[in-house]
Amino acid sequence: MPDLPSFALIPVIDVVGTFVFAISGTLTAADKKLDPFGASVIAFVTALGGGTLRDLLLNLQPIWMQEERFLVTVFVSVLVTLVFRRDIGRFRRTMFLFDTVGIALFTVLGMEKALRLGVPPLIALVMGVVSAVFGGVVRDILCNEIPLIFRREIYATACLAGGVTYLLMRLAPVPAEVPFGVAVGIIILIRVLAVRLKWAFPNLSAGE
Amino acid sequence: MPDLPSFALIPVIDVVGTFVFAISGTLTAADKKLDPFGASVIAFVTALGGGTLRDLLLNLQPIWMQEERFLVTVFVSVLVTLVFRRDIGRFRRTMFLFDTVGIALFTVLGMEKALRLGVPPLIALVMGVVSAVFGGVVRDILCNEIPLIFRREIYATACLAGGVTYLLMRLAPVPAEVPFGVAVGIIILIRVLAVRLKWAFPNLSAGE
Amino acid sequence: MPDLPSFALIPVIDVVGTFVFAISGTLTAADKKLDPFGASVIAFVTALGGGTLRDLLLNLQPIWMQEERFLVTVFVSVLVTLVFRRDIGRFRRTMFLFDTVGIALFTVLGMEKALRLGVPPLIALVMGVVSAVFGGVVRDILCNEIPLIFRREIYATACLAGGVTYLLMRLAPVPAEVPFGVAVGIIILIRVLAVRLKWAFPNLSAGE
């Protein structure tokens, strides 16, 4: 299988994604009135928790254990967020876009990593979604909340839809960039539409 | 050591146990008014969380990473549970029995797996109990509850009693089926009696 | 690099540290009115959770999986704590001291373990802090609290300060005992002063 040309961008994607996810973790920690140490931990697990679980399940050592740039990125992100906290509200739309692009890329890259290790397709799909959303789940557990994505948002579902598309298109005789681009596009599109149009699954009720 | 003849049944036990534990996870998620995605995640960790932690601690890759039938079983279980939610109340007694047989089998199979890897007996005992009960612990953490088994039930204790029996009987010169059957029987018996007779440990109180 | 002479004491440190951390876990569980099984689990994760996460991230099998003395130590600690619960209040000062010495030693030993495996210095620092404090984090999650160290105490910060000192002094041409002793001393000193003088970071507030 040919290398995806976009793979040259992975170090950039990784760092930008880590930075943006760490902002979201820091803001959640501030909402909970944690101290700066607590905020750093929450930022760290939000940004790197998903990839860490994926790698432990794949029997790999998490990448941030080998290269310090991830840790440094989280630290810089926490500092910047704490300093500019008052102004960050104005960038919520930009942050939403970064976050959306981040989960889209993390989903597909996480899947590709698992597939290359010989993991069956359905499991690779789960690994992709785990890469993208598990950090937010741990963030919410540490902050003593039921994880947000279990309750309200078309979030993981967007990742699932893009992931399935990727699996199917990967079987077709097209250049590797095509399924990659289409899957990322679908995830971004669904997420943006879901927020715009307030799509949500109905919540379950036991006694219904 | 001879293979346990009952080991031919393991794939069946695994799938039935996964199915039943996933029902319990789905029902808990519905009680918490999660959405279908949240319910699927809770079902998954309830069913497979215990074996996953055991395998990570044993430096093995969890079995569900290699074979898609576990994931598919969870998915089918969630679908069936959501569709027949209204009727499932009538089967609580059947489900309790399946659940009890499930933890009994998972305990002994988890111990045997650890023992065969050369893990010391006491640690193997812990691995057996972890296999059986840790999924329920993570389910409760994700749903923002103090894990049920820490508070009320003779549940893990039944597993411990069966596990100790298994360790002791395994030293005796009897066919491998005997300790296996006796240990499973003891776990089921204690759990059923505990629920029937409302056995429980007294809760601790710090100021007592 | 020469072996640290103090390393002959590691089995003693490990067992004493495990014992003291398990007391703290048992007392927390009693405060939450858990049952004896729940108390044992909480004691176990408080005492051994930090080292377990560190070892999983380092791709090692946790040490307590190989040697039963850790499990036995936790069990004895829980028994002793439950029996002498009424009297243990009088020893809070002693326990605080043990706990402080424990996190100091665990931080430096955890770092040294990671450094010897070739982990980069900053990551080794994180591994040291994880060894010392993560057990308490899991204890609080299981008890359905936002982890204490995220909210109030100069605790992890003391470990970080000692860890940074250790990394810097390790570069100097001094015998290995010197950075070891200085780092441990700094952690103990900061923690004791922080509690005496009621040092704390200000909590964050999002709307500030």
Side-chain angles (χ1 to χ4, degrees):
Chain A
M1 177 178 164
D3 269 345
L4 302 177
S6 28
F7 274 17
L9 281 172
I10 289 184
V12 178
I13 294 170
D14 270 353
V15 163
V16 172
T18 301
F19 192 89
V20 173
F21 285 158
I23 294 177
S24 127
T26 308
L27 292 176
T28 307
D31 277 347
K32 287 276 170 179
K33 303 196 195 311
L34 303 187
D35 69 17
F37 173 78
S40 304
V41 175
I42 304 291
F44 186 86
V45 299
T46 306
L48 298 170
T52 300
L53 179 60
R54 179 200 60 210
D55 288 344
L56 288 180
L57 290 171
L58 291 171
N59 260 345
L60 302 174
Q61 192 170 51
I63 182 85
W64 62 265
M65 288 289 294
Q66 296 151 39
E67 298 177 29
E68 290 172 323
R69 65 197 164 92
F70 293 95
L71 201 63
V72 172
T73 302
V74 169
F75 190 66
V76 172
S77 174
V78 172
L79 271 185
V80 168
T81 308
L82 292 184
V83 169
F84 295 103
R85 201 152 75 238
R86 292 171 212 214
D87 309 305
I88 248 166
R90 277 185 275 146
F91 298 103
R92 291 219 179 250
R93 188 168 300 198
T94 313
M95 273 190 53
F96 169 75
L97 203 67
F98 271 116
D99 184 75
T100 301
V101 174
I103 60 162
L105 292 168
F106 281 13
T107 301
V108 181
L109 294 176
M111 284 179 68
E112 186 62 35
K113 188 169 187 177
L115 289 168
R116 289 181 185 214
L117 286 164
V119 166
L122 271 187
I123 311 295
L125 178 63
V126 172
M127 292 299 102
V129 177
V130 162
S131 309
V133 311
F134 185 76
V137 170
V138 183
R139 176 198 62 209
D140 293 342
I141 294 174
L142 287 173
C143 290
N144 206 10
E145 301 279 349
I146 294 186
L148 192 61
I149 63 162
F150 295 173
R151 285 176 296 153
R152 251 187 14 206
E153 288 194 57
I154 303 284
Y155 188 93
T157 313
C159 301
L160 277 171
V164 170
T165 308
Y166 186 68
L167 283 180
L168 295 175
M169 288 192 66
R170 217 170 161 272
L171 301 175
V174 292
E177 294 89 340
V178 178
F180 186 88
V182 171
V184 167
I186 284 180
I187 297 174
I188 296 175
L189 186 71
I190 295 182
R191 173 108 169 96
V192 169
L193 286 177
V195 168
R196 283 276 166 116
L197 308 177
K198 299 193 199 302
W199 288 348
F201 282 123
N203 290 345
L204 303 172
S205 68
E208 194 187 343
Chain B
M1 180 181 162
D3 268 343
L4 301 178
S6 26
F7 273 19
L9 281 172
I10 289 184
V12 178
I13 294 170
D14 270 352
V15 163
V16 173
T18 301
F19 192 88
V20 174
F21 284 158
I23 295 177
S24 127
T26 308
L27 292 175
T28 307
D31 277 345
K32 286 277 169 178
K33 304 196 195 310
L34 302 187
D35 68 17
F37 173 77
S40 305
V41 175
I42 303 290
F44 186 86
V45 299
T46 306
L48 298 170
T52 301
L53 178 60
R54 179 200 60 210
D55 288 344
L56 288 180
L57 290 171
L58 291 171
N59 260 344
L60 302 174
Q61 191 169 50
I63 182 85
W64 61 265
M65 289 289 295
Q66 296 151 39
E67 299 177 29
E68 290 172 323
R69 65 195 164 91
F70 293 96
L71 201 63
V72 172
T73 302
V74 169
F75 190 66
V76 172
S77 175
V78 171
L79 271 186
V80 169
T81 307
L82 292 184
V83 169
F84 296 103
R85 201 152 76 238
R86 293 171 210 214
D87 309 304
I88 246 165
R90 276 186 275 145
F91 298 103
R92 290 220 179 250
R93 189 169 299 201
T94 313
M95 274 189 52
F96 168 76
L97 203 67
F98 271 115
D99 184 75
T100 301
V101 175
I103 61 164
L105 292 168
F106 281 13
T107 301
V108 181
L109 294 176
M111 285 180 68
E112 187 61 35
K113 187 169 188 177
L115 289 167
R116 288 181 186 215
L117 286 164
V119 165
L122 271 186
I123 311 295
L125 179 62
V126 172
M127 292 300 101
V129 177
V130 161
S131 311
V133 311
F134 185 77
V137 170
V138 183
R139 176 197 62 208
D140 294 341
I141 294 174
L142 287 173
C143 290
N144 206 9
E145 301 279 348
I146 293 186
L148 192 62
I149 62 161
F150 294 172
R151 285 178 294 154
R152 251 187 16 207
E153 287 195 59
I154 303 285
Y155 188 92
T157 313
C159 301
L160 277 172
V164 170
T165 308
Y166 186 68
L167 284 180
L168 295 176
M169 287 192 66
R170 216 168 162 274
L171 302 174
V174 291
E177 294 88 341
V178 178
F180 186 88
V182 171
V184 167
I186 284 180
I187 296 173
I188 295 175
L189 186 71
I190 295 182
R191 173 107 169 96
V192 169
L193 285 178
V195 168
R196 283 278 165 115
L197 308 177
K198 300 192 199 302
W199 287 347
F201 282 121
N203 290 346
L204 302 173
S205 68
E208 193 189 340
Chain C
M1 180 184 161
D3 269 345
L4 301 178
S6 28
F7 273 18
L9 281 171
I10 289 184
V12 178
I13 294 170
D14 271 353
V15 163
V16 172
T18 301
F19 192 89
V20 173
F21 284 159
I23 294 177
S24 128
T26 309
L27 292 175
T28 307
D31 277 347
K32 287 277 169 178
K33 305 197 194 310
L34 303 187
D35 69 17
F37 172 77
S40 304
V41 175
I42 303 290
F44 186 86
V45 299
T46 307
L48 298 170
T52 300
L53 179 60
R54 179 200 59 211
D55 288 344
L56 288 180
L57 290 171
L58 290 171
N59 261 344
L60 302 174
Q61 191 170 51
I63 181 87
W64 62 264
M65 289 287 295
Q66 297 151 38
E67 299 177 29
E68 291 172 323
R69 65 196 164 89
F70 293 95
L71 202 63
V72 172
T73 302
V74 169
F75 190 66
V76 172
S77 175
V78 172
L79 270 186
V80 169
T81 308
L82 292 184
V83 169
F84 295 103
R85 201 153 75 239
R86 292 171 210 217
D87 309 305
I88 246 166
R90 277 186 275 146
F91 297 104
R92 291 219 179 247
R93 188 168 299 201
T94 312
M95 273 190 52
F96 169 75
L97 204 67
F98 271 116
D99 183 75
T100 302
V101 174
I103 60 163
L105 292 168
F106 280 13
T107 301
V108 181
L109 294 176
M111 285 179 68
E112 186 61 35
K113 187 168 188 178
L115 289 168
R116 289 183 185 212
L117 287 164
V119 166
L122 271 186
I123 310 296
L125 178 63
V126 172
M127 292 299 101
V129 177
V130 161
S131 310
V133 312
F134 185 77
V137 170
V138 183
R139 175 197 63 208
D140 294 341
I141 293 174
L142 287 174
C143 290
N144 206 11
E145 301 278 349
I146 294 185
L148 192 61
I149 63 162
F150 295 172
R151 286 177 295 153
R152 252 187 14 210
E153 287 194 57
I154 302 285
Y155 188 93
T157 313
C159 301
L160 277 172
V164 170
T165 309
Y166 186 69
L167 284 180
L168 295 176
M169 287 192 67
R170 215 168 163 272
L171 301 174
V174 292
E177 294 90 339
V178 177
F180 186 89
V182 171
V184 167
I186 284 180
I187 296 173
I188 295 175
L189 187 71
I190 294 182
R191 171 108 170 98
V192 168
L193 286 178
V195 168
R196 282 278 166 114
L197 308 177
K198 300 192 199 304
W199 287 348
F201 282 121
N203 290 345
L204 302 173
S205 68
E208 193 187 344

